[in-house]
Amino acid sequence: MKVLKFGGTSVGTVESLRNVKKIVENIEGPSVTVVSALGGLTDRLIATARMAASGDLAYHSEMGAIRERHNLIIDGVVREDRRESVRETVESLLDGLARLYDGIALIGDLPEKTLDIAVSFGERISSHIVAAMIEGADRRDSLEFVKTEKWFNRNIADTALTDELIRKEFESNPPVRAIVPGFISTDRDTGEITNLGRGGSDFTAALLAASLDAEVLEIWTDVDGFMTADPRIIQGAQVIPAMSFVESMELCSYGAKVIYPPTIYPVFHKNIPIRILNTFKPETPGTYISDRDSSEADGTVTGVSAIRNTRLMTLRGEITGNVASINTRTFNAMARNGVSVLLVSQPDQESGFSFALSDIDSEKARKALIEEFAPELADGELEAIEELHELSTLAVVGNNIRKITGLGARMRNTLSRSGIEVAAHCEGTSATTVTLMIPREETDRAMRLIHSLFFGHE
């Protein structure tokens, strides 16, 4: 059993869909294929819903364009004797979407629940088209077996219930070539349509692979695999042929947009390998991700990535002398408010504690810190909460990276010699990653310098 996932770029055009057809039909043995909405459609569905809510009548023409695009795709990829049937199904869904937009325009409001329904039409429609396009395929409805629950006003997967329902669905009716819409789900308590959020189609595929004990999860996209760096910035970037689950999660967490880190967790726990493959060049080997054990090997650098638009938040005062307490309280406060901490800086002064976060989380983080440390702010133990912004966080990732002697110093010296100031650094807390914070405008140059340090000049 193989589980495959094709993203928006892979199902965005007639040409790319024909590639999907060849790939799936060439698989020997049973398979489950998860598909996203047509490339760029999710953003368009959201934008059109907002137009309707604001009273902009141009939503009618946007709806017309959405309808036309799907019909052109059907004409281009579905066999002629099946077109009438699939067009009837798709037109019914598109009519439902049009009525939803009319309702949004009528009330002049866009509740989150309504937006979730609007967005769901992308995968619901694309999965019908793909199922009709592929010989011997049948469509399975993920709304029936991918379930979510509310957690701090967010929809998260109820993995235990989802696992039970997936097994029930596919054990009672074993697949030959099953097609499943990704991303979409339903609330376990209310039955309302929800979704798995960013990276949701990848996550759907991972949940299916884990529940069905798949031999491999294949993520088909528009790149040749994980690269040693972003090839748009560094022409000499190379494909990484093999890497560990942890390395892939770290690279993605620090800006490599190949897969979304939560995707990896279900298959990681079941030790199911992942392959990253290119829909447009299926003959390339891609990247193989597994639990490879290199704990005894010397450290090696696997790749370099960066997150732009980050900032450094620093707490100053006597309280920061208690490292264990300040760490615990800060991390707990961030977690309760859904703020991801990118790094904790090794302090250059005894009176400071610094951590990095995304710009978009800064307001939430400041409010959380003020609430958590209100007594200390009042009595002066915490003197100030400072922010340094317009930064990027650059990460170097590799197995046993701490075994590379003087790695952090080499990186800082390389940047310093080229006039790039390092605002903060973190090494030693992770066996896999060393991070630096640099001025945002220097991101590309810094990445080239660090990539050249480990992989040679372009």
Side-chain angles (χ1 to χ4, degrees), residues 1-5 32 34 157 159 163 166-167 199-219 226 243-246 248-249 252 259-276 287-292:
M1 163 79 72
K2 282 186 176 182
V3 174
L4 302 83
K5 178 264 178 178
V32 177
V34 176
T159 53
D163 178 73
I166 288 173
R167 291 179 183 275
S201 290
D202 286 353
F203 197 30
T204 302
L207 290 168
L208 283 159
S211 297
L212 299 175
D213 296 313
E215 63 184 83
V216 66
L217 168 59
E218 295 183 350
I219 305 291
F226 271 92
M243 62 197 309
S244 69
F245 287 118
V246 174
S248 62
M249 284 190 283
C252 289
I259 50 179
Y260 190 51
T263 297
I264 299 169
Y265 300 147
V267 291
F268 170 62
H269 290 302
K270 296 292 287 286
N271 194 22
I272 296 169
I274 302 172
R275 281 196 179 277
I276 308 297
T287 298
Y288 185 77
I289 304 170
S290 67
D291 70 339
R292 63 175 186 164

Side-chain angles (χ1 to χ4, degrees), residues 95-386:
D95 288 344
L97 176 61
R99 289 193 296 272
L100 181 65
Y101 283 148
D102 289 339
I104 293 169
L106 184 64
I107 64 173
D109 191 24
L110 184 58
E112 182 181 348
K113 293 179 181 178
T114 305
L115 183 59
D116 285 347
I117 297 171
V119 169
S120 75
F121 279 93
E123 279 76 12
R124 289 158 71 185
I125 296 171
S126 67
S127 56
H128 278 289
I129 295 173
V130 173
M133 173 187 74
I134 293 173
E135 296 298 324
D138 71 303
R139 181 183 182 273
R140 308 294 179 93
D141 190 358
S142 54
L143 295 177
E144 298 295 326
F145 49 77
V146 179
K147 300 294 180 178
T148 60
E149 58 180 315
K150 280 291 184 185
W151 188 77
F152 289 102
N153 294 318
R154 294 172 54 223
N155 296 309
I156 65 167
D158 182 336
T159 53
L161 178 58
T162 297
D163 178 73
E164 177 187 338
L165 294 174
I166 288 173
R167 291 179 183 275
K168 181 178 178 181
E169 165 71 25
F170 288 91
E171 287 174 1
S172 62
N173 184 13
V176 178
R177 290 173 181 156
I179 309 299
V180 177
F183 180 66
I184 60 175
S185 50
T186 49
D187 185 273
R188 70 177 185 188
D189 300 314
T190 66
E192 294 172 336
I193 290 178
T194 56
N195 61 65
L196 298 176
R198 181 183 170 195
S201 290
D202 286 353
F203 197 30
T204 302
L207 290 168
L208 283 159
S211 297
L212 299 175
D213 296 313
E215 63 184 83
V216 66
L217 168 59
E218 295 183 350
I219 305 291
W220 290 83
T221 181
D222 58 355
V223 295
D224 291 344
F226 271 92
M227 309 288 286
T228 53
D230 187 339
R232 295 169 299 181
I233 298 171
I234 299 169
Q235 293 182 357
Q238 309 151 28
V239 175
I240 303 168
M243 62 197 309
S244 69
F245 287 118
V246 174
E247 287 174 299
S248 62
M249 284 190 283
E250 289 289 271
L251 279 174
C252 289
S253 295
Y254 286 98
K257 298 179 181 178
V258 181
I259 50 179
Y260 190 51
T263 297
I264 299 169
Y265 300 147
V267 291
F268 170 62
H269 290 302
K270 296 292 287 286
N271 194 22
I272 296 169
I274 302 172
R275 281 196 179 277
I276 308 297
L277 297 159
N278 192 335
T279 304
F280 303 91
K281 293 191 287 181
E283 70 283 357
T284 58
T287 298
Y288 185 77
I289 304 170
S290 67
D291 70 339
R292 63 175 186 164
D293 182 12
S294 55
S295 57
E296 299 304 318
D298 291 335
T300 56
V301 172
T302 300
V304 181
S305 58
I307 307 178
R308 300 170 197 264
N309 301 319
T310 60
R311 65 182 60 199
L312 191 68
M313 193 163 278
T314 300
L315 281 62
R316 301 283 186 196
E318 182 182 341
I319 189 176
T320 61
N322 188 336
V323 176
S325 175
I326 197 77
N327 264 285
T328 300
R329 292 177 64 184
T330 299
F331 273 103
N332 287 343
M334 296 303 104
R336 287 195 302 270
N337 289 273
V339 175
S340 296
V341 175
L342 302 175
L343 68 83
V344 175
S345 175
Q346 294 179 335
D348 295 322
Q349 304 177 35
E350 293 183 0
S351 60
F353 169 79
S354 300
F355 65 97
L357 69 162
S358 172
D359 283 348
I360 61 174
D361 288 332
S362 61
E363 186 175 346
K364 281 194 298 182
R366 177 170 281 276
K367 288 180 179 178
L369 291 172
I370 290 172
E371 180 179 338
E372 173 67 28
F373 295 104
E376 288 82 5
L377 282 165
D379 64 20
E381 280 190 272
L382 179 59
E383 297 170 4
I385 301 173
E386 302 170 355

Side-chain angles (χ1 to χ4, degrees), residues 87 329 448:
R87 197 186 302 281
R329 292 177 64 184
R448 293 189 186 101

Side-chain angles (χ1 to χ4, degrees), residues 427-444:
E427 55 182 301
T429 58
S430 168
T432 311
T433 307
V434 171
T435 48
L436 305 172
M437 296 199 75
I438 55 173
R440 187 174 60 202
E441 67 273 13
E442 297 282 17
T443 306
D444 290 0

